[in-house]
Amino acid sequence: MNVKEIIARRAAKELENNMVVNLGIGLPTMVGDYLPEGVRIITQSENGILGMAGLADESNTDPNIVNAGGTPVTVHDHACFFDSATSFVVIRGGHVDATILGALQVDEKGNLASHIIPGKMVPGMGGAMDLVTGSKRVIVAMTHTAKGDEAKILKEITLPATAVGKVNMIITELAVIEVTPDGLLLKEIADTTTVEEVQRLTGATLKVADDLKTFEAA
């Protein structure tokens, strides 16, 4: 498995049947491909879709049906469409059970930086600020480090904050980490690494769960 697949597979295990879920652009969109058997989610897209299915291909592309990133998608038979104002009523009203999104940085207090690197061109915030504030549960799915093993999980974020204290869980190719009032709790590690290696690549102190588990990454 490649790194993105490892992360998406593990993140999918956090979803339960009939949840309303927002899957962010990029890696998080893969999560829907790895749902546990018997789990059916209702995928929300902040540009105004409820009931989004997978990505479209040449055989079923409709230029009028795209996700928030502008990529053509398909929809389920039960899907409905609405304007952006209604979409953000759904989000801000607390009707999204879980949001899975990527991040540039996350820290031990659950602070998130996901939308900008000063001086560089990036896609922008999109609906992230509303989603992480309005969703009942926020899961960051991202690679454990940036290029050159630069830590992305920190004691304190250094990039501009997208949201403060809103992240509940961090899932990387190496670890599953819960954000608690007492700091970061290491709950699982990949079966290809060690606690020591995960801590070395993390810029904040990790507390190791008494019942530490492993997940498949090979």
Side-chain angles (χ1 to χ4, degrees):
M1 288 186 284
N2 62 38
V3 169
K4 290 184 178 180
E5 183 180 352
I6 293 167
I7 300 168
R9 281 182 181 274
R10 179 56 191 82
K13 293 181 179 180
E14 294 299 313
L15 302 181
E16 300 176 4
N17 200 37
N18 293 326
M19 273 186 165
V20 176
V21 180
N22 184 286
L23 301 176
I25 61 174
L27 188 160
T29 61
M30 298 172 59
V31 172
D33 296 330
Y34 300 106
L35 294 173
E37 186 175 353
V39 172
R40 170 183 171 275
I41 62 172
I42 302 168
T43 308
Q44 188 262 356
S45 182
E46 61 262 38
N47 59 322
I49 305 175
L50 195 61
M52 188 169 61
L55 298 177
D57 57 32
E58 292 181 358
S59 68
N60 57 10
T61 294
D62 183 329
N64 294 309
I65 303 177
V66 297
N67 64 16
T71 303
V73 295
T74 59
V75 295
H76 293 291
D77 291 341
H78 62 260
C80 56
F81 303 88
F82 33 81
D83 59 26
S84 292
T86 303
S87 184
F88 280 86
V89 167
V90 172
I91 295 167
R92 296 172 184 172
H95 304 293
V96 177
D97 295 304
T99 288
I100 301 179
L101 77 165
L104 299 169
Q105 295 177 343
V106 185
D107 69 24
E108 64 182 11
K109 296 181 179 64
N111 300 326
L112 169 70
S114 68
H115 71 284
I116 190 169
I117 300 175
K120 293 187 178 182
M121 292 293 293
V122 293
M125 187 175 293
M129 180 181 287
D130 295 272
L131 283 162
V132 298
T133 301
S135 299
K136 296 173 186 174
R137 183 168 172 77
V138 176
I139 300 169
V140 167
M142 66 177 188
T143 55
H144 202 91
T145 60
K147 292 180 179 179
D149 283 347
E150 181 182 353
K152 295 168 68 174
I153 304 171
L154 305 169
K155 185 173 181 62
E156 186 174 345
I157 59 173
T158 60
L159 295 173
T162 304
V164 174
K166 294 298 182 179
V167 177
N168 302 111
M169 178 172 282
I170 306 163
I171 298 176
T172 76
E173 76 278 16
L174 299 179
V176 177
I177 301 168
E178 183 180 352
V179 181
T180 77
D182 298 320
L184 299 177
L185 179 65
L186 181 62
K187 299 188 70 174
E188 298 180 29
I189 61 171
D191 56 9
T192 54
T193 192
T194 63
V195 171
E196 291 75 19
E197 179 72 359
V198 173
Q199 180 61 81
R200 184 182 71 82
L201 296 170
T202 304
T205 301
L206 298 171
K207 298 180 180 180
V208 182
D210 294 336
D211 59 343
L212 181 71
K213 297 178 175 63
T214 61
F215 64 89
E216 184 181 357

mmCIF file of all heavy atoms in Angstrom, residues 14-42:
data_model
loop_
_atom_site.group_PDB
_atom_site.id
_atom_site.type_symbol
_atom_site.label_atom_id
_atom_site.label_comp_id
_atom_site.label_asym_id
_atom_site.label_seq_id
_atom_site.Cartn_x
_atom_site.Cartn_y
_atom_site.Cartn_z
ATOM 1 N N GLU A 14 -13.074 4.905 11.215
ATOM 2 C CA GLU A 14 -13.673 5.799 12.203
ATOM 3 C C GLU A 14 -15.124 6.149 11.870
ATOM 4 O O GLU A 14 -15.806 6.774 12.680
ATOM 5 C CB GLU A 14 -12.856 7.091 12.304
ATOM 6 C CG GLU A 14 -11.453 6.901 12.849
ATOM 7 C CD GLU A 14 -11.439 6.334 14.266
ATOM 8 O OE1 GLU A 14 -12.207 6.853 15.104
ATOM 9 O OE2 GLU A 14 -10.707 5.364 14.505
ATOM 10 N N LEU A 15 -15.582 5.734 10.688
ATOM 11 C CA LEU A 15 -16.922 6.114 10.249
ATOM 12 C C LEU A 15 -17.932 5.008 10.538
ATOM 13 O O LEU A 15 -17.633 3.827 10.415
ATOM 14 C CB LEU A 15 -16.901 6.437 8.755
ATOM 15 C CG LEU A 15 -15.927 7.554 8.352
ATOM 16 C CD1 LEU A 15 -16.003 7.807 6.865
ATOM 17 C CD2 LEU A 15 -16.204 8.832 9.142
ATOM 18 N N GLU A 16 -19.131 5.424 10.917
ATOM 19 C CA GLU A 16 -20.198 4.495 11.260
ATOM 20 C C GLU A 16 -21.376 4.653 10.307
ATOM 21 O O GLU A 16 -21.517 5.673 9.629
ATOM 22 C CB GLU A 16 -20.654 4.736 12.703
ATOM 23 C CG GLU A 16 -19.549 4.538 13.729
ATOM 24 C CD GLU A 16 -20.007 4.867 15.141
ATOM 25 O OE1 GLU A 16 -21.206 5.177 15.322
ATOM 26 O OE2 GLU A 16 -19.168 4.828 16.057
ATOM 27 N N ASN A 17 -22.207 3.640 10.268
ATOM 28 C CA ASN A 17 -23.324 3.603 9.341
ATOM 29 C C ASN A 17 -24.237 4.829 9.487
ATOM 30 O O ASN A 17 -24.574 5.247 10.597
ATOM 31 C CB ASN A 17 -24.134 2.325 9.572
ATOM 32 C CG ASN A 17 -24.999 1.971 8.385
ATOM 33 O OD1 ASN A 17 -24.611 2.160 7.233
ATOM 34 N ND2 ASN A 17 -26.191 1.467 8.635
ATOM 35 N N ASN A 18 -24.607 5.388 8.337
ATOM 36 C CA ASN A 18 -25.547 6.511 8.224
ATOM 37 C C ASN A 18 -25.016 7.840 8.743
ATOM 38 O O ASN A 18 -25.780 8.789 8.912
ATOM 39 C CB ASN A 18 -26.876 6.187 8.917
ATOM 40 C CG ASN A 18 -27.638 5.086 8.210
ATOM 41 O OD1 ASN A 18 -27.588 4.974 6.989
ATOM 42 N ND2 ASN A 18 -28.334 4.257 8.967
ATOM 43 N N MET A 19 -23.717 7.938 8.983
ATOM 44 C CA MET A 19 -23.136 9.231 9.325
ATOM 45 C C MET A 19 -23.210 10.191 8.136
ATOM 46 O O MET A 19 -23.055 9.785 6.981
ATOM 47 C CB MET A 19 -21.663 9.073 9.698
ATOM 48 C CG MET A 19 -21.377 8.757 11.138
ATOM 49 S SD MET A 19 -19.569 8.792 11.407
ATOM 50 C CE MET A 19 -19.502 8.848 13.191
ATOM 51 N N VAL A 20 -23.418 11.469 8.425
ATOM 52 C CA VAL A 20 -23.237 12.518 7.423
ATOM 53 C C VAL A 20 -21.789 12.985 7.543
ATOM 54 O O VAL A 20 -21.355 13.421 8.615
ATOM 55 C CB VAL A 20 -24.204 13.702 7.652
ATOM 56 C CG1 VAL A 20 -23.918 14.825 6.658
ATOM 57 C CG2 VAL A 20 -25.649 13.230 7.527
ATOM 58 N N VAL A 21 -21.042 12.852 6.451
ATOM 59 C CA VAL A 21 -19.590 13.058 6.501
ATOM 60 C C VAL A 21 -19.146 14.003 5.392
ATOM 61 O O VAL A 21 -19.610 13.896 4.252
ATOM 62 C CB VAL A 21 -18.845 11.711 6.356
ATOM 63 C CG1 VAL A 21 -17.333 11.922 6.419
ATOM 64 C CG2 VAL A 21 -19.288 10.730 7.440
ATOM 65 N N ASN A 22 -18.253 14.900 5.723
ATOM 66 C CA ASN A 22 -17.602 15.736 4.714
ATOM 67 C C ASN A 22 -16.175 15.251 4.543
ATOM 68 O O ASN A 22 -15.417 15.172 5.520
ATOM 69 C CB ASN A 22 -17.610 17.215 5.125
ATOM 70 C CG ASN A 22 -17.016 18.103 4.047
ATOM 71 O OD1 ASN A 22 -15.819 18.137 3.838
ATOM 72 N ND2 ASN A 22 -17.881 18.840 3.351
ATOM 73 N N LEU A 23 -15.815 14.897 3.316
ATOM 74 C CA LEU A 23 -14.467 14.438 3.008
ATOM 75 C C LEU A 23 -13.756 15.544 2.236
ATOM 76 O O LEU A 23 -14.156 15.890 1.120
ATOM 77 C CB LEU A 23 -14.503 13.148 2.180
ATOM 78 C CG LEU A 23 -15.224 11.961 2.829
ATOM 79 C CD1 LEU A 23 -15.271 10.779 1.864
ATOM 80 C CD2 LEU A 23 -14.531 11.548 4.126
ATOM 81 N N GLY A 24 -12.704 16.094 2.814
ATOM 82 C CA GLY A 24 -11.982 17.199 2.190
ATOM 83 C C GLY A 24 -11.321 16.797 0.888
ATOM 84 O O GLY A 24 -11.189 15.618 0.562
ATOM 85 N N ILE A 25 -10.884 17.802 0.126
ATOM 86 C CA ILE A 25 -10.251 17.537 -1.162
ATOM 87 C C ILE A 25 -8.895 16.854 -0.939
ATOM 88 O O ILE A 25 -8.303 16.933 0.123
ATOM 89 C CB ILE A 25 -10.083 18.827 -1.986
ATOM 90 C CG1 ILE A 25 -9.186 19.841 -1.258
ATOM 91 C CG2 ILE A 25 -11.433 19.450 -2.299
ATOM 92 C CD1 ILE A 25 -8.865 21.074 -2.110
ATOM 93 N N GLY A 26 -8.439 16.152 -1.973
ATOM 94 C CA GLY A 26 -7.165 15.440 -1.876
ATOM 95 C C GLY A 26 -7.338 14.082 -1.219
ATOM 96 O O GLY A 26 -8.313 13.369 -1.459
ATOM 97 N N LEU A 27 -6.393 13.731 -0.380
ATOM 98 C CA LEU A 27 -6.372 12.414 0.266
ATOM 99 C C LEU A 27 -7.703 12.028 0.917
ATOM 100 O O LEU A 27 -8.155 10.891 0.758
ATOM 101 C CB LEU A 27 -5.234 12.371 1.288
ATOM 102 C CG LEU A 27 -4.893 11.060 1.963
ATOM 103 C CD1 LEU A 27 -3.473 11.114 2.523
ATOM 104 C CD2 LEU A 27 -5.841 10.686 3.094
ATOM 105 N N PRO A 28 -8.372 12.918 1.660
ATOM 106 C CA PRO A 28 -9.612 12.501 2.327
ATOM 107 C C PRO A 28 -10.695 11.966 1.394
ATOM 108 O O PRO A 28 -11.546 11.175 1.820
ATOM 109 C CB PRO A 28 -10.073 13.778 3.034
ATOM 110 C CG PRO A 28 -8.801 14.508 3.322
ATOM 111 C CD PRO A 28 -7.959 14.271 2.105
ATOM 112 N N THR A 29 -10.687 12.374 0.124
ATOM 113 C CA THR A 29 -11.704 11.866 -0.791
ATOM 114 C C THR A 29 -11.574 10.362 -0.998
ATOM 115 O O THR A 29 -12.542 9.697 -1.380
ATOM 116 C CB THR A 29 -11.627 12.560 -2.167
ATOM 117 O OG1 THR A 29 -10.356 12.307 -2.766
ATOM 118 C CG2 THR A 29 -11.826 14.053 -2.032
ATOM 119 N N MET A 30 -10.391 9.798 -0.732
ATOM 120 C CA MET A 30 -10.165 8.360 -0.890
ATOM 121 C C MET A 30 -10.834 7.545 0.202
ATOM 122 O O MET A 30 -11.033 6.340 0.048
ATOM 123 C CB MET A 30 -8.658 8.070 -0.897
ATOM 124 C CG MET A 30 -7.887 8.708 -2.015
ATOM 125 S SD MET A 30 -6.085 8.499 -1.815
ATOM 126 C CE MET A 30 -5.923 6.713 -1.774
ATOM 127 N N VAL A 31 -11.152 8.176 1.318
ATOM 128 C CA VAL A 31 -11.674 7.444 2.473
ATOM 129 C C VAL A 31 -12.944 6.668 2.121
ATOM 130 O O VAL A 31 -13.145 5.538 2.568
ATOM 131 C CB VAL A 31 -11.926 8.407 3.649
ATOM 132 C CG1 VAL A 31 -12.646 7.700 4.796
ATOM 133 C CG2 VAL A 31 -10.602 8.997 4.134
ATOM 134 N N GLY A 32 -13.786 7.257 1.299
ATOM 135 C CA GLY A 32 -15.027 6.599 0.918
ATOM 136 C C GLY A 32 -14.838 5.291 0.187
ATOM 137 O O GLY A 32 -15.759 4.463 0.134
ATOM 138 N N ASP A 33 -13.654 5.070 -0.374
ATOM 139 C CA ASP A 33 -13.379 3.827 -1.101
ATOM 140 C C ASP A 33 -13.038 2.667 -0.172
ATOM 141 O O ASP A 33 -12.930 1.523 -0.625
ATOM 142 C CB ASP A 33 -12.209 4.032 -2.074
ATOM 143 C CG ASP A 33 -12.529 5.036 -3.167
ATOM 144 O OD1 ASP A 33 -13.712 5.148 -3.538
ATOM 145 O OD2 ASP A 33 -11.599 5.711 -3.639
ATOM 146 N N TYR A 34 -12.844 2.931 1.110
ATOM 147 C CA TYR A 34 -12.381 1.895 2.035
ATOM 148 C C TYR A 34 -13.298 1.715 3.244
ATOM 149 O O TYR A 34 -12.865 1.268 4.299
ATOM 150 C CB TYR A 34 -10.964 2.244 2.514
ATOM 151 C CG TYR A 34 -9.962 2.334 1.399
ATOM 152 C CD1 TYR A 34 -9.489 3.577 0.970
ATOM 153 C CD2 TYR A 34 -9.508 1.197 0.745
ATOM 154 C CE1 TYR A 34 -8.573 3.670 -0.070
ATOM 155 C CE2 TYR A 34 -8.601 1.282 -0.299
ATOM 156 C CZ TYR A 34 -8.142 2.519 -0.700
ATOM 157 O OH TYR A 34 -7.241 2.608 -1.732
ATOM 158 N N LEU A 35 -14.570 2.035 3.073
ATOM 159 C CA LEU A 35 -15.502 1.900 4.191
ATOM 160 C C LEU A 35 -15.630 0.441 4.619
ATOM 161 O O LEU A 35 -15.639 -0.459 3.774
ATOM 162 C CB LEU A 35 -16.881 2.432 3.794
ATOM 163 C CG LEU A 35 -16.972 3.931 3.520
ATOM 164 C CD1 LEU A 35 -18.356 4.273 2.984
ATOM 165 C CD2 LEU A 35 -16.673 4.725 4.781
ATOM 166 N N PRO A 36 -15.731 0.188 5.926
ATOM 167 C CA PRO A 36 -15.929 -1.187 6.402
ATOM 168 C C PRO A 36 -17.216 -1.778 5.822
ATOM 169 O O PRO A 36 -18.160 -1.058 5.488
ATOM 170 C CB PRO A 36 -16.044 -1.006 7.924
ATOM 171 C CG PRO A 36 -15.370 0.287 8.215
ATOM 172 C CD PRO A 36 -15.626 1.159 7.022
ATOM 173 N N GLU A 37 -17.230 -3.090 5.708
ATOM 174 C CA GLU A 37 -18.394 -3.777 5.158
ATOM 175 C C GLU A 37 -19.651 -3.425 5.970
ATOM 176 O O GLU A 37 -19.638 -3.461 7.191
ATOM 177 C CB GLU A 37 -18.167 -5.282 5.181
ATOM 178 C CG GLU A 37 -19.260 -6.079 4.497
ATOM 179 C CD GLU A 37 -18.956 -7.557 4.438
ATOM 180 O OE1 GLU A 37 -17.828 -7.949 4.817
ATOM 181 O OE2 GLU A 37 -19.843 -8.318 4.024
ATOM 182 N N GLY A 38 -20.714 -3.085 5.258
ATOM 183 C CA GLY A 38 -21.977 -2.775 5.911
ATOM 184 C C GLY A 38 -22.136 -1.330 6.321
ATOM 185 O O GLY A 38 -23.204 -0.928 6.792
ATOM 186 N N VAL A 39 -21.085 -0.519 6.156
ATOM 187 C CA VAL A 39 -21.152 0.895 6.536
ATOM 188 C C VAL A 39 -21.503 1.739 5.309
ATOM 189 O O VAL A 39 -20.846 1.673 4.278
ATOM 190 C CB VAL A 39 -19.828 1.382 7.153
ATOM 191 C CG1 VAL A 39 -19.848 2.891 7.353
ATOM 192 C CG2 VAL A 39 -19.572 0.681 8.474
ATOM 193 N N ARG A 40 -22.538 2.510 5.428
ATOM 194 C CA ARG A 40 -22.990 3.404 4.361
ATOM 195 C C ARG A 40 -23.043 4.812 4.941
ATOM 196 O O ARG A 40 -23.710 5.061 5.943
ATOM 197 C CB ARG A 40 -24.391 2.981 3.892
ATOM 198 C CG ARG A 40 -25.095 3.952 2.948
ATOM 199 C CD ARG A 40 -26.490 3.415 2.650
ATOM 200 N NE ARG A 40 -27.318 4.374 1.933
ATOM 201 C CZ ARG A 40 -28.035 5.329 2.518
ATOM 202 N NH1 ARG A 40 -28.025 5.457 3.845
ATOM 203 N NH2 ARG A 40 -28.777 6.145 1.798
ATOM 204 N N ILE A 41 -22.323 5.717 4.336
ATOM 205 C CA ILE A 41 -22.326 7.095 4.826
ATOM 206 C C ILE A 41 -23.023 8.000 3.821
ATOM 207 O O ILE A 41 -23.198 7.642 2.649
ATOM 208 C CB ILE A 41 -20.899 7.610 5.099
ATOM 209 C CG1 ILE A 41 -20.064 7.638 3.814
ATOM 210 C CG2 ILE A 41 -20.228 6.782 6.191
ATOM 211 C CD1 ILE A 41 -18.715 8.322 3.969
ATOM 212 N N ILE A 42 -23.438 9.170 4.292
ATOM 213 C CA ILE A 42 -24.040 10.186 3.431
ATOM 214 C C ILE A 42 -23.017 11.306 3.312
ATOM 215 O O ILE A 42 -22.727 12.004 4.282
ATOM 216 C CB ILE A 42 -25.354 10.709 4.030
ATOM 217 C CG1 ILE A 42 -26.333 9.540 4.240
ATOM 218 C CG2 ILE A 42 -25.972 11.773 3.129
ATOM 219 C CD1 ILE A 42 -27.543 9.899 5.079
#
